[in-house]
Amino acid sequence: MATSNDIKNGTVLRIDGQLWTIIEFQHVKPGKGGAFVRTKMKNVLSGKVVDKTFNAGIKVETANVDRRDFQYLYMDGSDFVFMDNDTYDQIHVSGETVGDAKDYMLEGMSVLVASNEGTPLYVELPASVVLEITYTEPGLQGDRSTGGTKPATLETGKEIQVPLFLEQGTKVKVDTRDGSYLGRVND
């Protein structure tokens, strides 16, 4: 247990049996009345963001979230298998927990897996990854880098928008937060 005065960005609280991480916080001491802490919290599992205010000094239950480096090995049915880079232990993480991260994961990739009391909560990818385009319509004469975009399928099966001049087999850098094209990668 901690008090509301101990709240910082990244702190994980257990409220009504659910885990919430603090995105923003502000300690407020008005001229009249008691101090309070205004927070913006994100539900660890669902991603829902809410605003909540705590009176100063009240007890809040903190949760211990263990974030460790894992290597993605393979898919087993609907589960994803990861290996701890330190202990070489393997864990199975459900497809629901992995979520949209599956669209950017290749076998052998390093990721962060956050867990609470041995239960995986979410998978965190690097900010960007390099993936190969497996299918896209061929470019036409006169297509320019400043022109429009076209759909391209990546080696993970994810479809993104890329500039018209890119061809099949090209490696591209992709933002894992929103799936946007960041640039071409030369080997």
Side-chain angles (χ1 to χ4, degrees):
M1 289 294 244
T3 66
S4 60
N5 299 332
D6 299 327
I7 291 176
K8 302 280 183 272
N9 286 348
T11 303
V12 178
L13 304 177
R14 185 183 307 275
I15 301 170
D16 298 330
Q18 295 186 335
L19 296 178
W20 297 83
T21 184
I22 303 296
I23 302 171
E24 295 175 15
F25 74 99
Q26 180 182 18
H27 290 279
V28 179
K29 175 70 175 105
K32 199 190 301 184
F36 57 91
V37 181
R38 185 178 295 136
T39 64
K40 184 176 280 191
M41 305 186 308
K42 179 179 178 184
N43 188 305
V44 172
L45 296 177
S46 70
K48 180 180 175 185
V49 177
V50 298
D51 294 322
K52 186 163 175 69
T53 302
F54 297 95
N55 290 330
I58 68 161
K59 299 265 188 225
V60 291
E61 184 180 355
T62 58
N64 184 20
V65 174
D66 186 23
R67 293 166 41 111
R68 303 176 92 186
D69 284 322
F70 280 79
Q71 181 179 13
Y72 170 53
L73 297 179
Y74 58 91
M75 198 166 173
D76 182 21
S78 63
D79 289 354
F80 293 80
V81 180
F82 295 90
M83 178 183 68
D84 189 321
N85 288 341
D86 298 328
T87 64
Y88 304 111
D89 290 337
Q90 292 184 10
I91 62 167
H92 289 255
V93 180
S94 71
E96 295 84 44
T97 303
V98 173
D100 291 339
K102 72 180 180 316
D103 294 334
Y104 307 102
M105 288 190 324
L106 290 176
E107 292 179 0
M109 179 183 283
S110 289
V111 297
L112 274 173
V113 176
S115 58
N116 174 258
E117 298 171 2
T119 305
L121 300 172
Y122 59 89
V123 174
E124 192 174 302
L125 297 172
S128 64
V129 293
V130 175
L131 297 169
E132 186 176 323
I133 295 174
T134 56
Y135 177 78
T136 187
E137 295 294 328
L140 301 172
Q141 183 66 29
D143 287 344
R144 300 281 181 256
S145 62
T146 57
T149 60
K150 64 181 178 180
T153 305
L154 303 173
E155 58 189 306
T156 59
K158 173 78 173 166
E159 190 173 280
I160 65 167
Q161 293 293 317
V162 299
L164 293 170
F165 66 89
L166 290 179
E167 298 173 355
Q168 194 167 314
T170 306
K171 291 193 181 232
V172 293
K173 194 175 205 179
V174 181
D175 189 323
T176 57
R177 294 166 296 209
D178 60 7
S180 62
Y181 165 81
L182 295 176
R184 185 168 40 177
V185 177
N186 297 326
D187 291 331

